[in-house]
Amino acid sequence: MPRLVALTLILIPFVSVSAAEPVTFFEPVKPARRVQTIAHRGMAMLTPENTLPAIAACAADYVEWAEVDVRLTRDGHHVLMHDDTLDRTTIRKAKVADATLAELRKLDAGVWLAPRFADTPVPTLADALAAAKGKVNLYLDCKQIDPDQLAKDVLAAGMESQVVVFGNPDVLARVRAASGGRIPTMTKYRAKLDVDTFLKDVRPTAVEIDADEVTAGLCRRFRAAGVKVQAKVLGAEWDNPGVWAKVVAAGVDWVQTDDPVGFRAWDLRARVPSWPVRIAYHRGANRYAPENTLPAIKEAARLGADYVEIDIRPSKDGRFILLHDRTLNRTTTGTGPVTALAFDEVAKLDAGKSFGKRFTDTRVPTLDAALAALGDRAHVYLDAKDIPPEHLLAAIKKHGLMDRHVVYQSREYLAKLKQLDPNVRPLPPLKTAADLPAVAELKPYGVDANWSILSKELIADCHARGIKVFSDALGRNETVEQYRKAIGWGIDLIQTDYPARVFRAIELEATADEG
């Protein structure tokens, strides 16, 4: 990658030139952030690219923009598809431009990624606009379009404030003319171009600048002209915290990334260094990788998890592995009880293919491999489903985790564990507030409190006894509103399947404090 230009070296004198009329975009996330996220091809790290699930996942993870690619069918309909051919993301070998909409409607655009996305259709632009309305904004990358028809599609959907149309200047001029200037437009800006001439000739609403050409001077120039600046950071060399920090410091408005959740986690840490609550990733980062696998653990650690929750069971021959269920059926290519197979047999099973194509050949990990994958920061939340206390204690000590663990199990199990070593960190369940005195006799590190019993008074009582409060809202209570309520009460840790929702709760708490 070319070396990034130093942000302070380029100073471009301001000269007033005309651009497009400033646009007030819809704000999917309020209050608006200093920098907004554009998820490349939608939430493609989680769902089939350029599909309605990819758009919906952006909204669910509080990502403001989904970048989607638009192409024209043979009979004049706009559909979402990146490639000019269909074979990579459907089963048909043909060009998009040679197929009719009726033919595309019969194709499956999801099963190529994972069986759970079977029967996902190729969406029309109209489908995408309807799905996004009032939820997420769309960056329409015009691969092959009819500008007049695209303008009609956007206007008919009433989505002028929720889209930006990306293309070459000639295409944008036609879209602008067809819409009477009502549809926002964006094109690529290269550092070799004269800014004044570019603004006068193209009149963009926004510009896309590659990460290595973003400078503070350019951001000031474009923003002074009322033009939004998007940094394109795609590719491993650019899509990382070092480059994110440089483009954000330069003053960009939007960042287009293949790692929207990673960018959001990094940005929140940068803006709010001290978080009011810790986060445990349930079965690892199971929203983005197969549960209880090494990819899920590593992803959780990469996203800054305070704790990574994992489940432990034995194989037939006494090897300890990660698995939540008693049987192999749900999460692997095997069937039957895990205790019916020796470890060598379990190790042949695929624990990732059903989650997504890129996780094919992911294996059920041993406890040792899982603990080694934590890295040097994340703590481990050990759900001791079926492992003798002495074996669990040996694993904790082997991996140097005496100060970076909690163990969840029954009070009876945890009492035995404490007899082996009083320095272990028990985390017994707390099902009712009335159970607290009995649970406190164990002198636990914390309790895993049922979400339904949480209250300011209960948490204060636990803290007065020197006991931390962990809880999960898995299911219907896993909302930003519920999280903020618990944070306000002083909860110590939230266990979650949706880390981006907890990020949002923390973000709102920080905004409230600033206000």
PDB file of all heavy atoms in Angstrom, residues 286-297:
ATOM      1  N   ASN A 286     -20.359 -15.119  18.887  1.00  0.00           N
ATOM      2  CA  ASN A 286     -21.144 -16.092  18.119  1.00  0.00           C
ATOM      3  C   ASN A 286     -22.034 -15.450  17.071  1.00  0.00           C
ATOM      4  O   ASN A 286     -22.610 -16.150  16.247  1.00  0.00           O
ATOM      5  CB  ASN A 286     -21.966 -16.970  19.061  1.00  0.00           C
ATOM      6  CG  ASN A 286     -23.160 -16.255  19.662  1.00  0.00           C
ATOM      7  OD1 ASN A 286     -24.165 -16.012  19.002  1.00  0.00           O
ATOM      8  ND2 ASN A 286     -23.059 -15.893  20.934  1.00  0.00           N
ATOM      9  N   ARG A 287     -22.176 -14.122  17.078  1.00  0.00           N
ATOM     10  CA  ARG A 287     -22.924 -13.457  15.991  1.00  0.00           C
ATOM     11  C   ARG A 287     -22.104 -13.413  14.721  1.00  0.00           C
ATOM     12  O   ARG A 287     -22.669 -13.388  13.615  1.00  0.00           O
ATOM     13  CB  ARG A 287     -23.309 -12.033  16.422  1.00  0.00           C
ATOM     14  CG  ARG A 287     -24.096 -11.243  15.367  1.00  0.00           C
ATOM     15  CD  ARG A 287     -24.809 -10.075  15.992  1.00  0.00           C
ATOM     16  NE  ARG A 287     -25.366  -9.155  15.014  1.00  0.00           N
ATOM     17  CZ  ARG A 287     -26.476  -9.370  14.294  1.00  0.00           C
ATOM     18  NH1 ARG A 287     -27.139 -10.501  14.440  1.00  0.00           N
ATOM     19  NH2 ARG A 287     -26.911  -8.458  13.430  1.00  0.00           N
ATOM     20  N   TYR A 288     -20.797 -13.433  14.843  1.00  0.00           N
ATOM     21  CA  TYR A 288     -19.919 -13.235  13.693  1.00  0.00           C
ATOM     22  C   TYR A 288     -19.061 -14.454  13.355  1.00  0.00           C
ATOM     23  O   TYR A 288     -18.359 -14.441  12.340  1.00  0.00           O
ATOM     24  CB  TYR A 288     -19.004 -12.031  13.954  1.00  0.00           C
ATOM     25  CG  TYR A 288     -19.770 -10.817  14.408  1.00  0.00           C
ATOM     26  CD1 TYR A 288     -19.620 -10.306  15.692  1.00  0.00           C
ATOM     27  CD2 TYR A 288     -20.692 -10.202  13.566  1.00  0.00           C
ATOM     28  CE1 TYR A 288     -20.352  -9.204  16.121  1.00  0.00           C
ATOM     29  CE2 TYR A 288     -21.434  -9.100  13.986  1.00  0.00           C
ATOM     30  CZ  TYR A 288     -21.258  -8.613  15.262  1.00  0.00           C
ATOM     31  OH  TYR A 288     -21.989  -7.530  15.688  1.00  0.00           O
ATOM     32  N   ALA A 289     -19.121 -15.490  14.177  1.00  0.00           N
ATOM     33  CA  ALA A 289     -18.331 -16.705  13.940  1.00  0.00           C
ATOM     34  C   ALA A 289     -19.026 -17.869  14.655  1.00  0.00           C
ATOM     35  O   ALA A 289     -19.832 -17.645  15.567  1.00  0.00           O
ATOM     36  CB  ALA A 289     -16.900 -16.526  14.458  1.00  0.00           C
ATOM     37  N   PRO A 290     -18.741 -19.111  14.275  1.00  0.00           N
ATOM     38  CA  PRO A 290     -19.428 -20.251  14.884  1.00  0.00           C
ATOM     39  C   PRO A 290     -19.160 -20.328  16.390  1.00  0.00           C
ATOM     40  O   PRO A 290     -18.019 -20.237  16.832  1.00  0.00           O
ATOM     41  CB  PRO A 290     -18.818 -21.459  14.161  1.00  0.00           C
ATOM     42  CG  PRO A 290     -18.178 -20.915  12.933  1.00  0.00           C
ATOM     43  CD  PRO A 290     -17.765 -19.518  13.252  1.00  0.00           C
ATOM     44  N   GLU A 291     -20.213 -20.503  17.147  1.00  0.00           N
ATOM     45  CA  GLU A 291     -20.098 -20.505  18.607  1.00  0.00           C
ATOM     46  C   GLU A 291     -19.109 -21.540  19.125  1.00  0.00           C
ATOM     47  O   GLU A 291     -18.951 -22.616  18.559  1.00  0.00           O
ATOM     48  CB  GLU A 291     -21.459 -20.747  19.253  1.00  0.00           C
ATOM     49  CG  GLU A 291     -22.021 -22.150  19.030  1.00  0.00           C
ATOM     50  CD  GLU A 291     -23.334 -22.387  19.757  1.00  0.00           C
ATOM     51  OE1 GLU A 291     -24.304 -21.651  19.499  1.00  0.00           O
ATOM     52  OE2 GLU A 291     -23.378 -23.323  20.581  1.00  0.00           O
ATOM     53  N   ASN A 292     -18.430 -21.174  20.221  1.00  0.00           N
ATOM     54  CA  ASN A 292     -17.513 -22.089  20.906  1.00  0.00           C
ATOM     55  C   ASN A 292     -16.427 -22.655  19.989  1.00  0.00           C
ATOM     56  O   ASN A 292     -16.045 -23.819  20.099  1.00  0.00           O
ATOM     57  CB  ASN A 292     -18.288 -23.243  21.555  1.00  0.00           C
ATOM     58  CG  ASN A 292     -18.880 -22.874  22.901  1.00  0.00           C
ATOM     59  OD1 ASN A 292     -18.213 -22.262  23.734  1.00  0.00           O
ATOM     60  ND2 ASN A 292     -20.130 -23.234  23.122  1.00  0.00           N
ATOM     61  N   THR A 293     -15.941 -21.828  19.074  1.00  0.00           N
ATOM     62  CA  THR A 293     -14.835 -22.236  18.208  1.00  0.00           C
ATOM     63  C   THR A 293     -13.692 -21.237  18.365  1.00  0.00           C
ATOM     64  O   THR A 293     -13.876 -20.144  18.903  1.00  0.00           O
ATOM     65  CB  THR A 293     -15.254 -22.283  16.728  1.00  0.00           C
ATOM     66  OG1 THR A 293     -15.617 -20.957  16.297  1.00  0.00           O
ATOM     67  CG2 THR A 293     -16.418 -23.240  16.504  1.00  0.00           C
ATOM     68  N   LEU A 294     -12.536 -21.602  17.842  1.00  0.00           N
ATOM     69  CA  LEU A 294     -11.402 -20.681  17.917  1.00  0.00           C
ATOM     70  C   LEU A 294     -11.666 -19.380  17.166  1.00  0.00           C
ATOM     71  O   LEU A 294     -11.308 -18.306  17.668  1.00  0.00           O
ATOM     72  CB  LEU A 294     -10.128 -21.364  17.403  1.00  0.00           C
ATOM     73  CG  LEU A 294      -9.653 -22.594  18.192  1.00  0.00           C
ATOM     74  CD1 LEU A 294      -8.298 -23.068  17.651  1.00  0.00           C
ATOM     75  CD2 LEU A 294      -9.550 -22.297  19.685  1.00  0.00           C
ATOM     76  N   PRO A 295     -12.288 -19.409  15.969  1.00  0.00           N
ATOM     77  CA  PRO A 295     -12.600 -18.127  15.328  1.00  0.00           C
ATOM     78  C   PRO A 295     -13.498 -17.237  16.178  1.00  0.00           C
ATOM     79  O   PRO A 295     -13.324 -16.014  16.206  1.00  0.00           O
ATOM     80  CB  PRO A 295     -13.296 -18.544  14.026  1.00  0.00           C
ATOM     81  CG  PRO A 295     -12.726 -19.882  13.714  1.00  0.00           C
ATOM     82  CD  PRO A 295     -12.553 -20.538  15.052  1.00  0.00           C
ATOM     83  N   ALA A 296     -14.449 -17.821  16.892  1.00  0.00           N
ATOM     84  CA  ALA A 296     -15.345 -17.028  17.735  1.00  0.00           C
ATOM     85  C   ALA A 296     -14.593 -16.425  18.918  1.00  0.00           C
ATOM     86  O   ALA A 296     -14.848 -15.281  19.317  1.00  0.00           O
ATOM     87  CB  ALA A 296     -16.507 -17.889  18.230  1.00  0.00           C
ATOM     88  N   ILE A 297     -13.665 -17.172  19.476  1.00  0.00           N
ATOM     89  CA  ILE A 297     -12.872 -16.669  20.601  1.00  0.00           C
ATOM     90  C   ILE A 297     -11.935 -15.564  20.129  1.00  0.00           C
ATOM     91  O   ILE A 297     -11.831 -14.499  20.755  1.00  0.00           O
ATOM     92  CB  ILE A 297     -12.075 -17.820  21.244  1.00  0.00           C
ATOM     93  CG1 ILE A 297     -13.036 -18.812  21.897  1.00  0.00           C
ATOM     94  CG2 ILE A 297     -11.066 -17.287  22.264  1.00  0.00           C
ATOM     95  CD1 ILE A 297     -12.386 -20.107  22.320  1.00  0.00           C
TER      96      ILE A 297
END
